[in-house]
Amino acid sequence: MSTATAAPKGKLGRLDMTRNFGICAHIDAGKTTVSERILYYTGKNYKIGEVHEGTATMDHLEDEQQRGITIQSAATTCPWEFNNTTYTLNLIDTPGHVDFTMEVERSMRVLDGAVVVFDGKEGVEAQSETVWRQADRYGVPRVCFINKMDKMGADFEFSYGTLIERLGAPVIPVQYPIGASNDHVGVIDLMEMRAYYFSKEDMGSTVTEEDIPAELKDKANEWHHKMVESIAELDDALTEKFLMEEEISVDELKAALRKGTLAQEAHPVFCGSALQNIGVQKLIDGVIEYLPNPTEVPETQGTDVKDAEKKLSRPHSEDAPFSALVFKIVNDAHGDLTYVRVYSGVLQKGTRVLNSNNGKKEIVSRIFEMHSKERIAREDAKAGEIVAVVGLKTSYTGETLCDANDPIVLDRMEFPDPVISMSIEPASAGDKEKLSSALATIRREDPSFQFHYDDETGETIIAGMGELHLEIINVKLTRDLKIGVNVGQPRVAYRETINGTAQARGIHKKQSGGRGQFGDATIIVSPITEEEAKEQDLLYKDGIAYQDSITGGSIPREYIPSVGVGARATALGGVLAGYPLIGCKVEVIDGKYHDVDSSQLAFEMAGSIGFKEATRKAGLQLLEPVMKVSVTTPDEFLGNVTGDLNRRRAIIADTEQRGNTRIVTAEAPLSEMFGYSNSLRGMSQGRASYSMEPLDYRPVPDSIAKEIVEGENK
Ligand SMILES: Nc1nc2c(ncn2[C@@H]2O[C@H](COP(=O)(O)OP(=O)(O)OP(=O)(O)O)[C@@H](O)[C@H]2O)c(=O)[nH]1
């Protein structure tokens, strides 16, 4: 039986005894509560903090405690005893609120497996789908935990069904709950066919194993059969045995399920109630039994430092050259703490490492194993480990640290573009300097946040993933850093694109005594998507794909990339109304040069001039971010909710009935959704709730586009 243990300090486990995993879920499904219980049972957190009373360990930030949502993922190391072996768990907490999608993405990049938590009454909710798809995208093996089985109306079979219907997930039950709502007291292990109960008095620390209660025997047999049948399908030898009705041992079942889970062909489903301390220890055992150790995931991929086309990979081995990814920076009273995931080799304290993204060498002065309440100094960190280091000055989230003698650039994380922006002004001259350094610090911690100074208006503009994201940044500035600021109204981050294909010639020519400037490039612009660019093997950067079709040396080799640089820079500043122009292929087909007067700069100018003219000829179009909105409302407010959504230019995609509530799924332009939480509260007496996430960019209707363009060009 699993029990909390004190592990040897500062040096936990070998690679195959390590599990780097995260917990992700829809907001409020219970991630934080599950994480807290895991830390408690692993013996590291002696007092359990109730999330909404503001003592939860994982929710360090005051913001999170006040709002009861988990904003930043913290990595926490903890030991777990299983089958007489001490394992090292690195638990990476991930947020569920969609304004923090970025945080989920960065966690997905560094974890090897995930526990996805679902609400035992609601089953799969809108955001669980988002999280699930993200995990699909990153190829993360998963186990499911149907939580809140103690809640009024909790229904395991319904929730399990939604995993299949709404996610189409190949789930396999490994547990069945004993009782639901107030009667939920334990779980049946469908592998061992035993019942487990968790003590009421010591936070469920004492686990007792008993026979399956008589009244649940039939159910347990039915679900056991379901489990065996599904597992048998994963493995040819077991399929054979199953069809021949031969006995399949628990070990065989577990081995096949583990293999299937690693291949993402199966997701074992656990259940319980984190709040009532039911089932969490068995879930931790499940993390060890079914989620991969760092050597069981595919080799880490990257590219050559000098040639982004040349693919490299690194085995998860201590003997390979050192490589690691920076996935989080936390700025605290002692300076920057940089969280890194080591992929290969060994990182030694006090050594210099290369940041292969910016070419700078940095000294790692200290290495820490981060526990929830303490940090343990380490001499080194090995492949597969997650640690925090001190001393790095120029390495940011998403960048690679590596051995300077054997460099690699690991595949970067994807950072979504901000969809919303607002102006921010220092309230006094004294706040001005403080503001710019504070914004730079926030940006280093959070790459989904951006800011820039607008020369034309003289305003500083901050941009992020949603209203809440920017609101939290403001709170951080004003309350935590005590900087006085005035902020403007939130504004939508529009984009521009082209309607068709066109050709233009850009000539840049200047002759003003001495050496002149001469560049001449003919380009064709045409619409392209990121996928299409990939298919054509073109680099899609900042929304632009660039193709060199120069033959016969009409532009010398060294100047051809400059045409693309000029076009990209112009695209970033926009052609129609100052918003970044995206989805455009720029093909340079011809040009002229001058032996003396031509330079890279001259060809950049020519690229810029040609790009402007060609895109104007092709026709320009304003795009706006469209959000996927999911509103859950009691029946009686359905009319109000849909009427209001229609007024907001939303397209209602689906309305689903669940008991007395309706779930309305709609696609609405972000510009129409400002302040939606207040209006929704008003129209439903506070009983409806919603979630919202960026879906895509779509054309702005002409009449509205006209107003925006005129406003911007005033
Ligand atoms: N009845 C019941 N309530 C639970 C259970 N687990 C969590 N809760 C409650 O559900 C609410 C949300 O729990 P959290 O742990 O904060 O959920 P979360 O998914 O981390 O939410 P965010 O951090 O806001 O994304 C809290 O009020 C918890 O007390 C459970 O097993 N049963």
Side-chain angles (χ1 to χ4, degrees), residues 199-413:
S199 56
K200 286 246 179 271
E201 40 300 322
D202 54 356
M203 299 290 307
S205 294
T206 312
V207 185
T208 33
E209 182 189 325
E210 289 179 26
D211 289 341
I212 295 173
E215 68 279 12
L216 277 176
K217 279 233 164 83
D218 287 347
K219 261 291 171 216
N221 281 330
E222 177 196 327
W223 281 75
H224 173 78
H225 186 79
K226 206 189 258 235
M227 175 191 82
V228 175
E229 189 175 8
S230 315
I231 295 177
E233 281 173 17
L234 296 169
D235 182 296
D236 289 345
L238 294 193
T239 310
E240 183 83 23
K241 278 194 170 185
F242 183 78
L243 293 175
M244 303 302 286
E245 292 184 17
E246 282 175 35
E247 184 73 26
I248 305 178
S249 72
V250 171
D251 285 348
E252 282 175 311
L253 288 170
K254 286 188 171 179
L257 182 53
R258 177 173 179 79
K259 205 164 136 237
T261 308
L262 299 197
Q264 297 157 69
E265 286 161 4
H267 306 290
V269 180
F270 295 78
C271 61
S273 159
L275 192 66
Q276 303 298 336
N277 310 310
I278 297 170
V280 178
Q281 294 99 317
K282 296 289 285 177
L283 175 67
I284 311 177
D285 291 350
V287 165
I288 287 166
E289 289 199 279
Y290 302 113
L291 291 183
N293 74 49
T295 65
E296 289 172 310
V297 292
E299 287 198 350
T300 314
Q301 303 298 316
T303 53
D304 189 87
V305 181
K306 295 205 184 73
D307 178 3
E309 302 289 306
K310 192 171 154 198
K311 303 262 179 267
L312 296 175
S313 68
R314 284 288 149 81
H316 304 286
S317 154
E318 288 175 24
D319 303 324
F322 164 69
S323 71
L325 193 76
V326 173
F327 73 97
K328 174 131 184 122
I329 295 174
V330 177
N331 183 265
D332 71 7
H334 310 287
D336 278 350
L337 203 54
T338 308
Y339 283 83
V340 301
R341 156 90 199 233
V342 183
Y343 282 98
S344 59
V346 181
L347 174 64
Q348 299 278 357
K349 181 179 120 180
T351 54
R352 277 159 84 86
V353 294
L354 173 72
N355 175 325
S356 54
N357 294 95
N358 65 16
K360 292 189 177 142
K361 288 197 182 148
E362 296 238 66
I363 293 185
V364 174
S365 50
R366 308 185 71 185
I367 301 175
F368 293 106
E369 193 176 283
M370 300 300 289
H371 293 254
S372 55
K373 286 204 172 130
E374 53 177 349
R375 33 173 105 168
I376 294 169
R378 294 275 302 266
E379 290 302 310
D380 60 27
K382 300 193 169 71
E385 292 192 300
I386 291 179
V387 290
V389 305
V390 173
L392 303 183
K393 304 255 179 322
T394 65
S395 298
Y396 302 143
T397 300
E399 295 183 339
T400 301
L401 302 176
C402 60
D403 184 338
N405 296 323
D406 220 328
I408 182 172
V409 181
L410 298 178
D411 288 351
R412 284 182 80 102
M413 301 180 214

Side-chain angles (χ1 to χ4, degrees), residues 368-489:
F368 293 106
E369 193 176 283
M370 300 300 289
H371 293 254
S372 55
K373 286 204 172 130
E374 53 177 349
R375 33 173 105 168
I376 294 169
R378 294 275 302 266
E379 290 302 310
D380 60 27
K382 300 193 169 71
E385 292 192 300
I386 291 179
V387 290
V389 305
V390 173
L392 303 183
K393 304 255 179 322
T394 65
S395 298
Y396 302 143
T397 300
E399 295 183 339
T400 301
L401 302 176
C402 60
D403 184 338
N405 296 323
D406 220 328
I408 182 172
V409 181
L410 298 178
D411 288 351
R412 284 182 80 102
M413 301 180 214
E414 291 172 25
F415 300 130
D417 285 331
V419 289
I420 189 167
S421 69
M422 59 170 59
S423 65
I424 184 163
E425 264 177 62
S428 71
D431 292 317
K432 196 169 171 191
E433 233 164 70
K434 280 199 276 176
L435 180 63
S436 53
S437 82
L439 291 177
T441 305
I442 294 174
R443 159 90 187 141
R444 279 197 302 153
E445 291 177 12
D446 174 5
S448 63
F449 166 74
Q450 295 184 4
F451 72 99
H452 69 272
Y453 184 74
D454 186 330
D455 280 333
E456 277 172 34
T457 59
E459 288 173 326
T460 299
I461 307 290
I462 59 174
M465 301 311 297
E467 271 183 291
L468 182 59
H469 188 194
L470 294 188
E471 197 187 305
I472 284 171
I473 305 257
N474 279 337
V475 170
K476 211 177 225 171
L477 291 170
T478 49
R479 199 193 54 210
D480 302 351
L481 304 168
K482 311 255 179 296
I483 302 172
V485 293
N486 301 317
V487 296
Q489 288 297 318

Side-chain angles (χ1 to χ4, degrees), residues 26-33 51-52 68-70 147-148 150 273-275:
H26 185 278
I27 187 165
D28 266 3
K31 280 184 312 284
T32 308
T33 311
V51 180
H52 298 281
I69 54 175
T70 314
N147 187 33
K148 301 199 183 181
D150 64 309
S273 159
L275 192 66

Side-chain angles (χ1 to χ4, degrees), residues 508-557:
H508 176 68
K509 194 172 178 181
K510 261 199 183 144
Q511 200 70 57
S512 49
R515 192 180 155 190
Q517 293 177 32
F518 183 81
D520 178 344
T522 301
I523 60 173
I524 298 176
V525 296
S526 55
I528 195 168
T529 62
E530 188 165 2
E531 288 72 44
E532 288 164 352
K534 258 193 204 134
E535 280 162 21
Q536 296 175 29
D537 236 359
L538 296 175
L539 176 70
Y540 187 85
K541 192 169 154 258
D542 297 332
I544 302 293
Y546 182 59
Q547 185 171 17
D548 161 17
S549 300
I550 294 285
T551 48
S554 57
I555 301 178
R557 286 287 110 203

